[in-house]
Amino acid sequence: MMPASTPASSSGIRGNREWIIARLLWYGTGVACVLIAAGLLVAAAPASIALAFPVTGHALMKAGVAVFILLPMARVALMLALFLRERDYTYAMIAALVLGIIAAGIVVGA
């Protein structure tokens, strides 16, 4: 199932931008859910079957959670790129500032 709005049904650049961002979040959430579900299946599998996989179920679940955590940052980075493409430098600076704050929080929190 795809997001409800498409560029054809939205008006102008803003509608197209929102559709692109919605697709990123839609597919990112799907990838994260698939990783977590695969991790649960591998973790629940008998040891003989689980040994056939190159990664553990725990590692797959951690990757899925990491994708969920990275999605908001990816959204801001995508918005920065879209604002720069549209030559909307005010909002591009705001998006860059938000990414800088997130990066500073990661560095200080580590």
Side-chain angles (χ1 to χ4, degrees):
M1 183 183 233
M2 290 288 296
S5 64
T6 63
S9 67
S10 300
S11 61
I13 295 172
R14 182 171 183 226
N16 191 29
R17 180 181 353 136
E18 291 174 1
W19 184 75
I20 292 169
I21 292 168
R23 287 187 64 182
L24 169 74
L25 297 175
W26 179 265
Y27 290 118
T29 300
V31 167
C33 289
V34 166
L35 284 170
I36 291 171
L40 286 170
L41 289 174
V42 170
S48 60
I49 296 173
L51 291 176
F53 292 99
V55 294
T56 64
H58 183 70
L60 284 171
M61 288 185 280
K62 283 184 1 183
V65 171
V67 170
F68 272 129
I69 292 170
L70 292 174
L71 272 176
M73 290 181 274
R75 177 180 185 245
V76 175
L78 177 62
M79 289 175 67
L80 173 63
L82 292 173
F83 288 139
L84 287 173
R85 185 183 76 178
E86 296 168 7
R87 299 180 200 276
D88 192 347
Y89 298 117
T90 302
Y91 285 108
M93 287 299 297
I94 293 170
L97 178 65
V98 170
L99 280 176
I101 291 170
I102 291 170
I106 291 171
V107 170
V108 170

